[in-house]
Amino acid sequence: MIKLTIDGKTVEVKEGTTVLEAAEQAGIYVPTLCHHPQLTPYGGCRLCMVDVEGARTLQPSCTMPASDGMVVNTKSQKVLDARKFVLTLIFSERNHFCMYCQVSGGDCELQNRAYDEDMTHWDLQPNWTPYDVDASHPFIVLDNNRCILCRRCVRACGELVGNYTLGFEERGAKSFLVADYDVPLGESTCVSCGTCVQICPTGALIDRQSAYQGKETEVDHHISVCTECSIGCVRDVLTRDNRLVRIEGDWDTEPSNGLLCENGRFIPLEEDRPRVVTPLVRKDGSLKAATWDEALDTIASGLGAGKGLAALASTKLPAEALAYFKSLFADKLSADTVTTLEEGAATASLSKLAEKLGKSFESSLDVLKDTEAVLSLELDLVKDHQVAGFFVKRQLQDGTKLFVAGCDDCALAANAKVTLPLNPGSEAVLLVKLVDAVENGTDDADLAAVVDALKAAEKPVIVYGKTFAANADEIALDALLKLADLTGAALVGVKGNANSMAAAQLGLEAPFKTEGASAAVVVLGDEAPTAKLTKDLEKVPFVVALSAYESQLTGAADVVLPVAMWAEESGTYLSMDGRLQKAIKSLEAPEGVLTTLETLEKIAGAVKVQPDQDWKTSLMARIPTIQIQEA
Amino acid sequence: MTKPTVASDWLCGCAGCHMSLLDIDERILQVVDLVDLRATPITDLKEPDEKGVTVGILEGGINNTYNEEVAKRMRERCKILVALGDCAVFGGVPAMRNFVGVESALQRAYIDAESVDAEGLIPADPELAEMTRVRAVSEVVPVDVFIPGCPPDADTIFYALVELAQGRIPEIKNDKLHWH
Ligand code: SF4
Ligand code: SF4
Ligand code: SF4
Ligand code: SF4
Ligand code: FES
């Protein structure tokens, strides 16, 4: 431990703590700009300068390590003057006329820092060099005129996302932010994760969807889990007057600590499908608006006694709704098929393996954040479950070796040391070969490279996705376990949609067959039905759809009931690595639109059954592939 | 004791800061009680008294030789000079033209603008003041009090006037301090 004095207060901190962190621990605020807790200290802006007794000049506290006996003053006149001077220099470097800037009025860290110092004005004129504004990106506007060269965005894109899209051209005050080798951001390697926008302290990187829609002082925050995939990143949903303004990552929460992918951050705001806002019933061949009673009566008489009934639910629905769905259709109505739109493809084989073993065998996502070797099986983490891909990509610079099997021309393969050919169905062949290579050696250079790296690594990881889970047979899975055992590798299964693990726990994993089906209930929530599902259902004589949005499927259904979309209901989600998390209602549903759970309750009422309400017990009943923890 | 005298004028701004001053509504009566309101652009007397005023208030930046004259005259005739609003404090919205230069700003406005026909002409009467870079007031004459805001709130202006009337320098901070 190190003991130092800051503003007369004695603080004891661990070796390696910076002066800034020590001050924070002592409850002393030191203003910063280029510093961000998620990034490696950089020491670029000099706003955090402090007086260190014995030092010749003021020192940047964000990069200076605390040392024993150090005496620090954060409020001397010299420090206060330096702060104002640093801010004056930053302001005068570019166009900081706040009256026409999107982030002015609470959302700009630069402005806020100047207000903290009671700066009514600054004495230097701006350097009147204009920069072009880059609005080529679908979601992001880059305005170098507001940039303060703090490089937070550059560091975030590299250190956190592993994408290394952003960089600077020119030097000193002339530096300007570019994407790749100075191509428009919209044509660059950017994967639209938006981390740079979220971390930019000024109006230099703004997102076009939320620009001028509402400032920090005008919005409501809802900390909620992302329902777009099973990683379950925690996000902050910003709303104003029952309108979505923006979605941000939450820096303080696992697993992704502020990171989101484009599906979690930007795509939800692009939603433009027409809403279903009232029950619809097919009359004389066409769908007509109907009362709830009419619609429910039609459903009750159309469903019959469960014979020939198929019920399908989206794995994007909350666990409460999924459990109720199962109880209603499987237990109470004894439907022939009760499953999900994923039909268990991402989970069934793995759940069965856990049952066979009598225990969980997978590891948490965290293992992907700190590993020397990763073997990825039939999975493109650049497109799918992208934040997990960021965890891997950002370590490649430090020498983490990535091996990609069965994903030849996928984007992840471009980052791989070695790619191994793997066709769906031949998982067992490859895994048995790998096991053999560990046990007996091999002449195949590629296989040798993989097993050597896995063996040499302290914490190797094997990660696999939906295609693997759907195709791996028992031999493949046994070989997978053995390979993990021999190399000490952790196993990570990313599963599918946000609640695919909850669906797995409920045993909703049967394949959906249309033969013999006389009626189907499809609980879509806000999920867009695939063309295949739409086509399959054409063969079913009576189709009921619960959907937030109109689609070809709802257009062909016999009864359509409106339901809430993701932001309009609260519920529980079970992530791919077993974290039970809450999605929080952020918007009011349109008048008369109920949540999926409430709508299912109405159906249960109409067919006069009382499904089980205890979702948690049903969820915990099965041995999970990874231990379930409540957040 | 005689009341402190106050004069104001507007330069290259939009008059919004003076509108915000009028937004103090009936509190203007309290101000009139405390000070002797002399020349302003919205009263009959247009120029500050030659024998001087206690407080001079300028709205707007300085964008031509005429603005320069007005600013210098105000500075000479007042004890305390107040820069009111973002244009006076920083140059403000008009200063956007500094990023393109006077020439191309004139070209855009008088020749290339969609509403201008083939007879577009850049005004060049010798009586007109000469255009310059848009400058903050403090770049031309020393300023004593800066009240930024686009425009500053009526409450802030009222507070500042009351303080100045009582011989104090207003402290523009916390909720009174904003640049938009
Ligand atoms: S980036 Fe901040 S300081 Fe610069 S103009 Fe915008 S609000 Fe003002
Ligand atoms: S959006 Fe993401 S990938 Fe694109 S530049 Fe920003 S941080 Fe990099
Ligand atoms: S764009 Fe934003 S984050 Fe990037 S260097 Fe400029 S001010 Fe910093
Ligand atoms: S990785 Fe998944 S959970 Fe995270 S933001 Fe993207 S879609 Fe949402
Ligand atoms: S915050 Fe320390 S130098 Fe920028």
Side-chain angles (χ1 to χ4, degrees), chain B residues 38-160:
Chain B
R38 305 292 302 164
T40 76
I42 43 184
T43 48
D44 289 343
L45 189 58
K46 297 296 180 204
E47 280 185 18
D49 310 59
E50 259 174 71
K51 63 179 197 313
V53 291
T54 325
V55 178
I57 300 173
L58 288 177
E59 165 194 325
I62 292 168
N63 83 331
N64 60 26
T65 46
Y66 173 67
N67 287 167
E68 255 173 53
E69 267 173 44
V70 175
K72 284 182 178 154
R73 185 176 60 214
M74 185 65 93
R75 176 70 277 185
E76 275 162 20
R77 294 183 184 179
C78 73
K79 286 208 190 74
I80 298 167
L81 182 61
V82 180
L84 180 68
D86 276 344
C87 297
V89 173
F90 300 114
V93 172
M96 280 173 104
R97 87 169 189 221
N98 296 353
F99 288 100
V100 299
V102 169
E103 301 286 295
S104 50
L106 288 171
Q107 175 77 22
R108 182 76 183 87
Y110 289 101
I111 312 284
D112 299 339
E114 291 67 11
S115 55
V116 174
D117 61 18
E119 271 144 60
L121 198 65
I122 294 175
D125 193 297
E127 296 252 310
L128 289 173
E130 198 186 315
M131 289 174 73
T132 63
R133 183 166 61 81
V134 180
R135 287 157 293 168
V137 173
S138 63
E139 229 192 309
V140 176
V141 294
V143 168
D144 304 300
V145 179
F146 296 85
I147 309 180
C150 187
D153 305 327
D155 290 348
T156 304
I157 296 176
F158 177 70
Y159 157 80

Side-chain angles (χ1 to χ4, degrees), chain A residues 392-468:
Chain A
V392 174
K393 284 199 301 172
R394 72 190 188 193
Q395 291 174 84
L396 298 177
Q397 286 269 329
D398 309 329
T400 293
K401 294 186 177 119
L402 171 66
F403 304 96
V404 171
C407 189
D408 279 351
D409 30 55
C410 74
L412 189 69
N415 300 289
K417 277 255 174 271
V418 169
T419 57
L420 300 172
L422 168 58
N423 296 320
S426 62
E427 290 77 10
V429 179
L430 176 70
L431 286 163
V432 168
K433 268 197 217 160
L434 284 167
V435 169
D436 185 54
V438 181
E439 289 181 319
N440 309 308
T442 173
D443 297 335
D444 183 319
D446 287 349
L447 293 180
V450 177
V451 296
D452 287 349
L454 292 180
K455 278 197 306 194
E458 209 175 303
K459 292 176 275 179
V461 181
I462 304 175
V463 57
Y464 41 84
K466 184 169 176 171
T467 314
F468 178 82

Side-chain angles (χ1 to χ4, degrees), chain A residues 343-393:
Chain A
E343 300 168 72
T347 53
S349 61
L350 304 165
S351 298
K352 283 175 188 144
L353 180 59
E355 280 178 327
K356 188 173 103 179
L357 296 172
K359 60 170 197 231
S360 309
F361 60 90
E362 289 183 328
S363 297
S364 88
L365 196 56
D366 283 347
V367 298
L368 268 186
K369 294 182 190 168
D370 182 18
T371 171
E372 305 89 357
V374 180
L375 170 60
S376 161
L377 300 172
E378 295 182 294
L379 173 66
D380 187 358
L381 285 178
V382 172
K383 289 216 184 69
D384 237 340
H385 300 78
Q386 291 184 29
V387 167
F390 302 162
F391 295 161
V392 174
K393 284 199 301 172

Side-chain angles (χ1 to χ4, degrees), chain A residues 91 94-95 97-100 104-106 111 114-115 118-123 125-130 145 215, chain B residues 86-87 89-93 95-96 98-99 133-136 138-139 146 148 150 172-174 177-180:
Chain A
F91 280 122
R94 296 278 158 96
N95 173 347
F97 290 99
C98 300
M99 66 298 282
Y100 46 94
S104 179
Q111 193 184 61
Y115 289 174
D118 299 339
M119 280 175 77
T120 53
H121 67 290
W122 54 88
D123 286 323
Q125 277 299 299
N127 128 40
W128 302 100
T129 314
N145 297 293
K215 295 175 192 170
Chain B
D86 276 344
C87 297
V89 173
F90 300 114
V93 172
M96 280 173 104
N98 296 353
F99 288 100
R133 183 166 61 81
V134 180
R135 287 157 293 168
S138 63
E139 229 192 309
F146 296 85
C150 187
I172 307 299
K173 54 185 192 182
N174 302 327
L177 174 57
H178 61 79
W179 300 334
H180 55 90

Side-chain angles (χ1 to χ4, degrees), chain A residues 146-153 168 177 200-202 204-205:
Chain A
R146 310 290 199 195
C147 176
I148 61 169
L149 315 182
C150 70
R151 287 176 166 75
R152 277 199 200 174
C153 55
F168 271 93
L177 183 63
C200 176
T202 70
L205 283 165

